[in-house]
Structure formats: C-alpha cells, structure tokens
C-alpha cells in the first residue's frame, strides 16, 4: 500500500464526535475534492477507509446521504450529490453564496475553534492531499482547483504554526512541504502520529545509510592511497636492493625496508607499531622518504 494511502487510513480512524468538526472535515473535503459547485459535488477516492467514512461523516455533518455511491470492490470510485436541496444545505452550512458565478472561499468564521481547523485540514488532505514515501523523498502537498481557497489555505496553516510553500500546477493551486520535520509535525497535527514516526524513522535510516556510504568511500580512498604508497616504497626498496646499497644502510632504514617488504598491505601506522622499539608514524614516514631520496641518487647516509 502506498504511503499516502497508509496516512489516509490512519486519519480515517479519528473519531468525529462534535457535529461542528464533522462539518469542518466535510468542508475541507468539499473544497479539495474533484468537483464542488451549485450543480454537483463529486468526491473521487480509492482509499477504502475514506469510502467507509464519507457516508457516516456527511450524515453527521448535514443529515443527508449521497445520491450515488461507488460500486462495491471498485478501486477508484466516486461519491456524487446532484440534488439541489442537498447542495443548498451544504452551501448554507458554510455561509457560501448560492451563486455559480461566485468563487469559493474558506469561511474562517466556521473554523474559529482549533479542533475545527484541525478537522478542516484533515478533510483537505483526505480529498486533495498526498505525501511521498519517505524512503524515496520528502514531499507533502494539498491541491485545489479553487483559486481563492488555494490562496487562503497558507494563511490558515501559518496561524497553526506551519510555513508551507506554494505553486501552481495544471490549473490547480498546490500548497506543499519539502522538509521532513515539517511533514512530521503536520501529520502529527492532522492526527497521524504513526505515519509521522514512519517519516522520522525513514529519515534516520537514510541518514545512517548515507553516513555509512561516506565512511566506506572514505575508507576506500584511504586504502587506495595506502596501496599506491606501498607500491612506490616497494619499488624504491627494490632499486636499492638491486644496486647493492640496501645492506649498507643504517639499521633503522634497513628495518623500515624489511618491514615494508614483509607487510606490503599495511599502512604506515601499522608498520610503525612493528618497529623495535615502536616508533611514531611520522618517524617511519621520515625513514621511507629517506629511502626514496637514496634511491633517486640523493645524498648518501
């Protein structure tokens, strides 16, 4: 099941005991659904939990039923109301103008209580919202075809303590969040704490995976450097050996050469620990540079 569907399923488990909250949630659904005007209300969804919730919600909010319900077992289905009396009841419930030429607005007077604002935003997400699987990215959005609704929603969200971004897409107004912590907070606010925790967990997993990958890449790069340095040192020691100069070197340089030939896979720190007595990495590096100078015909020891 897609992550958005899981979120909506969790939201649909929220009880609506107050009629005002039922109306507020229905209001959010209507302003963000497929069609809502004086001739028709059409809500399209494929979420099974929302299909079960809508008839109960609308009876609680308006004491009315849908004129058409989706076929049982159908994937994406439509809830339809075309009866003028039912539509007029819904419009009057929100003090909306019964005039097809008037653009719809969010009537904030109907959302004065915090629990009603939360219910409204929950309904808006159920009808017009989506959220990306947090294992793939962070993006939560709400889209509406009503221009003024799309302009007014960000102000309502800011009053609730959120800072959304806005854009237009294919004739719709889109309000969205791109940061994981904002999405977590918003889902918790709507009533989906389990989904919010899933976003948080996914972020931790992605951060950990990124950290591990960076460490692996760093270790790989360091290993490449160690191998390259060891090859160069072995080539230098081989030249000194072929020229007969290796045996004439001081004991400290001969020990460094011997340890490198016996342990070509070790880095300088590991080789330094094998010296007798143990020396620092810096000291062993100095001896290796000395061997390279001698191999290149530098000053003699």
């Amino acid at each position: 099941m897609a992550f958005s569907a899981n979120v909506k399923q969790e939201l649909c488990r929220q009880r609506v005991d107050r009629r005002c909250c039922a109306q507020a949630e229905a209001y959010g659904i209507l302003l963000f659904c497929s069609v809502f005007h004086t001739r028709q209300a059409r809500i399209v969804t494929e979420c099974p939990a929302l299909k079960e919730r809508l008839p109960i919600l609308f009876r609680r909010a308006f004491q009315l039923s849908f004129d058409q319900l989706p076929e049982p077992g159908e994937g994406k289905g439509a809830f339809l109301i075309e009866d003028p009396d039912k539509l007029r009841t819904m419009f009057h419930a929100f003090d909306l103008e019964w005039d097809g030429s008037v653009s719809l607005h969010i009537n904030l007077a109907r959302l004065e209580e915090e629990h009603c604002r939360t219910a409204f935003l929950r309904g808006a997400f159920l009808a017009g919202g989506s959220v990306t699987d947090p294992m793939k990215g962070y993006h939560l959005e709400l889209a509406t075809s009503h221009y003024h609704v799309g302009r007014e929603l960000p102000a309502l969200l800011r009053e609730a303590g959120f800072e959304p971004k806005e854009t237009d897409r294919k004739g719709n107004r889109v309000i969205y969040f791109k940061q994981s912590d904002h999405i977590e907070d918003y889902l918790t606010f709507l009533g989906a704490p389990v989904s919010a925790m899933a976003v948080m967990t996914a972020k931790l997993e992605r951060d950990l995976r990124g950290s591990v990958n960076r460490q692996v890449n760093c270790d790989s790069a360091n290993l490449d450097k160690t191998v390259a340095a060891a090859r160069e040192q072995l080539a230098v020691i081989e030249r000194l050996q072929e020229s007969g100069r290796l045996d004439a070197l001081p004991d400290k340089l001969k020990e460094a050469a011997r340890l490198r030939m016996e342990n070509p896979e070790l880095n300088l720190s590991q080789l330094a620990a094998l010296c007798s007595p143990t020396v620092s990495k810096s000291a062993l590096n100095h001896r290796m540079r000395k061997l390279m100078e001698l191999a290149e015909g530098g000053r003699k020891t």
Side-chain angles (χ1 to χ4, degrees):
M1 184 181 293
F3 187 70
S4 276
N6 288 335
V7 174
K8 292 181 180 182
Q9 184 171 330
E10 183 179 0
L11 291 177
C12 285
R13 290 197 288 268
Q14 291 288 320
R15 293 183 57 179
V16 182
D17 296 322
R18 297 185 178 93
R19 187 183 179 193
C20 62
C21 289
Q23 288 187 341
E25 184 175 321
Y27 193 17
I29 289 172
L30 290 167
L31 292 182
F32 284 80
C33 69
S34 300
V35 177
F36 181 47
H37 50 59
T38 55
R39 296 181 304 280
Q40 184 185 88
R42 187 169 185 265
I43 305 165
V44 178
T45 182
E46 58 184 350
C47 175
L50 184 55
K51 288 180 180 179
E52 293 180 8
R53 186 177 183 84
L54 282 171
I56 299 170
L57 182 69
F58 274 61
R59 273 199 304 273
R60 177 71 175 139
F62 312 113
Q63 287 78 52
L64 58 79
S65 60
F66 287 95
D67 296 336
Q68 178 183 308
L69 298 172
E71 293 294 327
E74 191 175 305
K76 184 177 288 188
F79 291 79
L80 190 66
I81 294 178
E82 293 181 322
D83 185 309
D85 291 335
K86 294 179 181 180
L87 291 167
R88 193 184 300 271
T89 295
M90 291 189 293
F91 268 72
H92 287 172
F94 307 122
D95 296 327
L96 299 175
E97 294 291 336
W98 185 250
D99 184 342
S101 64
V102 177
S103 298
L104 293 177
H105 290 262
I106 299 176
N107 184 353
L108 297 178
R110 292 289 178 175
L111 306 174
E112 291 183 349
E113 299 294 335
E114 183 177 349
H115 50 78
C116 289
R117 288 196 297 272
T118 301
F120 173 84
L121 293 170
R122 181 170 60 244
F125 183 84
L126 286 171
S130 64
V131 57
T132 302
D133 184 333
M135 293 303 294
K136 299 177 181 178
Y138 306 120
H139 184 87
L140 182 150
E141 70 175 40
L142 300 104
T144 178
S145 60
H146 303 297
Y147 178 82
H148 293 293
V149 173
R151 290 292 184 182
E152 293 159 353
L153 182 66
L156 184 63
L157 288 170
R158 291 186 185 100
E159 285 183 13
F162 299 100
E163 289 296 332
K165 298 182 183 297
E166 308 170 49
T167 190
D168 293 307
R169 184 198 304 144
K170 297 180 180 179
N172 289 330
R173 189 67 183 168
V174 179
I175 298 89
Y176 65 95
F177 299 99
K178 294 290 288 184
Q179 292 181 258
S180 62
D181 54 339
H182 293 175
I183 294 172
E184 292 165 20
D185 292 343
Y186 190 62
L187 291 178
T188 300
F189 175 80
L190 293 183
V194 175
S195 298
M197 184 61 70
V199 176
M200 186 183 302
T201 301
K203 183 178 186 299
L204 291 173
E205 289 181 4
R206 291 180 69 183
D207 289 348
L208 178 60
R209 188 178 296 113
S211 177
V212 170
N213 287 339
R214 286 192 295 273
Q215 185 61 49
V216 168
N217 292 337
C218 180
D219 290 345
S220 178
N222 289 337
L223 180 59
D224 290 343
K225 291 178 182 178
T226 298
V227 170
R231 285 176 178 171
E232 185 178 6
Q233 291 159 6
L234 287 169
V236 163
I237 294 167
E238 185 177 345
R239 288 202 297 274
L240 289 171
Q241 195 171 38
E242 289 175 351
S243 66
R245 288 183 287 165
L246 186 61
D247 291 337
L249 295 178
D251 290 342
K252 291 180 179 179
L253 294 184
K254 283 195 292 185
E255 181 186 41
R258 177 180 60 79
L259 289 173
R260 172 49 76 201
M261 287 189 292
E262 292 175 354
N263 305 280
E265 78 285 358
L266 299 185
N267 58 36
L268 286 180
S269 296
Q270 293 166 324
L271 280 182
L274 296 178
C275 291
S276 182
T278 300
V279 299
S280 66
K281 175 183 175 183
S282 176
L284 185 61
N285 188 43
H286 175 74
R287 295 176 187 180
M288 289 297 180
R289 288 202 305 271
K290 186 74 173 199
L291 289 172
M292 295 177 72
E293 289 176 6
L294 290 171
E296 294 298 328
R299 58 188 177 86
K300 299 184 181 296
T301 301

